[in-house]
Amino acid sequence: MMLHSRYRSQKGAFSGFLVLLLPVFFPQLFSLLGQALPSIISEQKVAKPRHLHLLTSALDRPPLDEERSDLWSALPSLEPRHCDKPLATQPFPTRSQGYIQVFLDGGLNQQRMGICDAVAVAKILNATLVIPHFEFNAVWKDLSSFADIYDVDHFIEVLKHDINIVRDLPSEFLWSTREYYAAGIRETRVKSAPVHASANWYLDNVLPILQSHGIAAISPFSHRLAFDNMPLDIQRLRCKVNFQALTFVPHINALGETLVQRLKYRTLEHEDKYLTEITNNAVDKAPAKFAALHLRFDKDMAAHSACDFGGGKAEKLALARYRQLIWQGRVLNSQFTDEELRSQGRCPLTPEEIGLLLAALGFDNSTRLYLASYKVYGGEARISALRKLFPLMEDKKSLASKEELAQVDGKASLLAAVDYYVSMRSDVFISASAGNMHNALLGHRSYENLKTIRPNMALMGQLFLNKSMGWSEFQTAVIDGHKDRLGEIKLRKPTQSIYAYPLPECMCNM
């Protein structure tokens, strides 16, 4: 026994000696670990409240009955408004000029806008559209295809009188794959499409390729069609695709509706600062109202903004390294100070800050809040202040079982689609910062005349820079600064997205 114990001791000492030698023999490995360590530490570190004096007052805030009732009230009716059918200015052509392929990058909503543009380009060129291909994105890390997210049969059926659409290429064009175009320069690939290209650009540059080869593949294809100087029938076709043709596959709709029903009918009580579900069969007689909050605060967003979020030197270093790795210094915001960025409204609101905004507007701690987000940078620690302000906050994982989430779990685009569905069914929608999902839901809810609160980013940045401001003054400034940002439909300005501002092209007699 003593011999065995001595052997184990010697073996342990030898192993320890080898560990000490590892940095000598593998310096590069330990250098990489050293670079990654600040990022790991910063994401696990508990984020302290940055606005503690406001947070303390907000936690003790009395309800604002009058303002709060206004927050939940529906928008005035707008009739008639939908113009989802293109103008019948030209008969539907019987012969196509060829096949159009598009390769779409980005997340769910960037791809959604690309799909709408692809249909419009196919119409402009009198071409047959192949169901768009979704690229693998290094940030979202999702291999989901068009058919995994959207109902292809419905898509083709709704647009059958507008353009030809096929699921796959015919046999003579099966060589035209993503791998084929990645292997070298090809005559049938269009890489030069400028951002916000005109209809004439496609007629001049892509139509000749179709006529010569019978096929053209456009990649990249994000934001490659202008919003201005487009024929009205093309604009309305884009509206029809966005608001009528693109519907999620049945299992996403079913899961989304399950979450909505639980938000509306689940009976909850607040006890000892914890959320407890009443297990009896009693449910509210009337559906409860709920707000959906899109909390876009992932690492990608935080790094690209170049703002300071209070995580200390380790977090600043981690975000700077990530920014350099992904964008190689091509981030304009990094040229400005944090104060300059905040005063200009360029910093995304943290969970704590969006919580203070909602509290100041009049949402109290009985508000049912659905958190629509993929990954929050800093994890649960960063959400803690928001959760204290709104203890009845739920998300996909709190509302659904593992079995119910099995088909979407780990798939960023499918998870975003569920969030999109629930957000469209909410009584009020709020987005913490601008982005593709913000634009998509702002436009879709405007089209359906649903209330959407648009944060005044410049105002909020300036208010949060004022460390001496008390709760009463803060609340008054927030309410005054958002009187015209509570859901009223806005007229699209030149160069603005038709997907975010559907008035006037998508709306009739307004």
Side-chain angles (χ1 to χ4, degrees), residues 148-318:
D148 292 327
I149 303 169
Y150 297 108
D151 187 329
V152 178
D153 290 336
H154 178 82
F155 181 74
I156 295 174
E157 177 65 23
V158 170
L159 299 172
K160 67 181 181 181
H161 297 301
D162 302 298
I163 64 166
N164 289 317
I165 303 175
V166 295
R167 291 171 178 265
D168 301 294
L169 287 168
S171 57
E172 63 266 33
F173 293 111
L174 289 180
W175 50 264
S176 185
T177 65
R178 189 66 186 89
E179 292 73 22
Y180 172 76
Y181 294 110
I185 298 174
R186 311 295 185 183
E187 291 183 347
T188 52
R189 179 182 177 182
V190 180
K191 295 181 65 177
S192 57
V195 173
H196 304 318
S198 67
N200 285 336
W201 188 92
Y202 284 95
L203 291 170
D204 293 340
N205 295 274
V206 181
L207 183 57
I209 297 175
L210 284 176
Q211 293 171 335
S212 297
H213 301 279
I215 189 169
I218 309 174
S219 176
F221 193 75
S222 292
H223 314 296
R224 286 325 197 261
L225 186 63
F227 292 116
D228 294 316
N229 300 317
M230 282 287 157
L232 184 56
D233 63 322
I234 295 297
Q235 297 288 61
R236 290 192 177 171
L237 177 59
R238 293 162 103 173
C239 304
K240 183 177 182 179
V241 181
N242 195 24
F243 304 131
Q244 302 297 324
L246 287 175
T247 60
F248 298 125
V249 292
H251 74 84
I252 290 177
N253 290 336
L255 177 57
E257 187 58 31
T258 295
L259 303 188
V260 169
Q261 293 303 309
R262 288 173 185 170
L263 284 162
K264 286 181 173 291
Y265 293 102
R266 177 186 261 186
T267 304
L268 304 165
E269 66 178 9
H270 185 222
E271 183 180 55
D272 297 329
K273 296 185 179 180
Y274 288 95
L275 192 64
T276 306
E277 182 174 357
I278 297 176
T279 56
N280 61 27
N281 294 325
V283 295
D284 298 333
K285 292 182 179 179
K289 294 183 181 294
F290 75 94
L293 168 63
H294 178 229
L295 188 59
R296 191 188 179 198
F297 199 77
D298 52 65
K299 188 173 183 177
D300 189 64
M301 177 76 167
H304 194 270
S305 71
C307 300
D308 178 16
F309 300 106
K313 291 183 179 179
E315 181 176 87
K316 286 183 181 179
L317 182 60

Side-chain angles (χ1 to χ4, degrees), residues 5-20:
S5 177
R6 185 181 302 171
Y7 171 75
R8 285 195 304 173
S9 177
Q10 291 175 346
K11 184 178 179 181
F14 182 69
S15 299
F17 179 68
L18 287 177
V19 170
L20 291 174

Side-chain angles (χ1 to χ4, degrees), residues 51 54-55 58 61 64 71 293 349-364 386 389-390 429-433 453-461 463-464 471 474-483 485-486:
H51 315 286
L54 291 176
L55 181 61
R61 68 197 184 279
L64 299 178
L71 289 174
L293 168 63
L349 297 177
T350 66
E352 175 193 4
E353 289 169 345
I354 193 67
L356 290 170
L357 166 62
L358 295 180
L361 286 173
F363 293 99
D364 63 22
L386 177 63
L389 289 167
F390 298 99
F429 173 73
I430 313 102
S431 182
S433 58
I453 296 177
R454 298 179 298 115
N456 186 331
M457 300 297 288
L459 170 68
M460 297 311 300
L463 294 180
F464 286 128
W471 176 253
F474 175 80
Q475 187 174 48
T476 299
V478 169
I479 292 174
D480 289 344
H482 288 82
K483 284 182 177 178
R485 305 178 73 90
L486 301 180

Side-chain angles (χ1 to χ4, degrees), residues 395-436:
D395 57 22
K396 294 176 287 293
K397 291 186 177 179
S398 69
L399 289 169
S401 66
K402 288 184 178 180
E403 291 74 20
E404 290 172 317
L405 292 171
Q407 285 185 279
V408 300
D409 196 28
K411 300 174 181 177
S413 293
L414 300 190
L415 291 167
V418 174
D419 283 339
Y420 191 104
Y421 183 96
V422 177
S423 297
M424 278 302 299
R425 297 274 277 111
S426 65
D427 297 282
V428 181
F429 173 73
I430 313 102
S431 182
S433 58
N436 288 318

Side-chain angles (χ1 to χ4, degrees), residues 76-149:
S77 177
L78 298 174
E79 294 291 348
R81 61 183 188 276
H82 292 177
C83 289
D84 49 40
K85 292 183 179 180
L87 300 174
T89 55
Q90 296 179 353
F92 184 66
T94 57
R95 184 180 178 186
S96 168
Q97 294 283 353
Y99 293 92
I100 284 288
Q101 290 177 288
V102 294
F103 302 97
L104 302 177
D105 198 1
L108 175 78
N109 295 290
Q110 184 173 325
Q111 291 169 342
R112 183 187 187 99
M113 297 171 195
I115 295 166
C116 300
D117 286 347
V119 171
V121 167
K123 181 71 172 180
I124 291 168
L125 297 175
N126 182 23
T128 297
L129 178 68
V130 183
I131 291 294
H133 172 86
F134 290 175
E135 302 269 34
F136 176 77
N137 185 277
V139 174
W140 299 108
K141 296 183 173 67
D142 193 339
L143 292 170
S144 299
S145 68
F146 185 106
D148 292 327
I149 303 169

Side-chain angles (χ1 to χ4, degrees), residues 443-457:
H444 203 160
R445 288 179 65 88
S446 294
Y447 181 78
E448 297 293 350
N449 201 38
L450 301 173
K451 179 166 285 188
T452 300
I453 296 177
R454 298 179 298 115
N456 186 331
M457 300 297 288

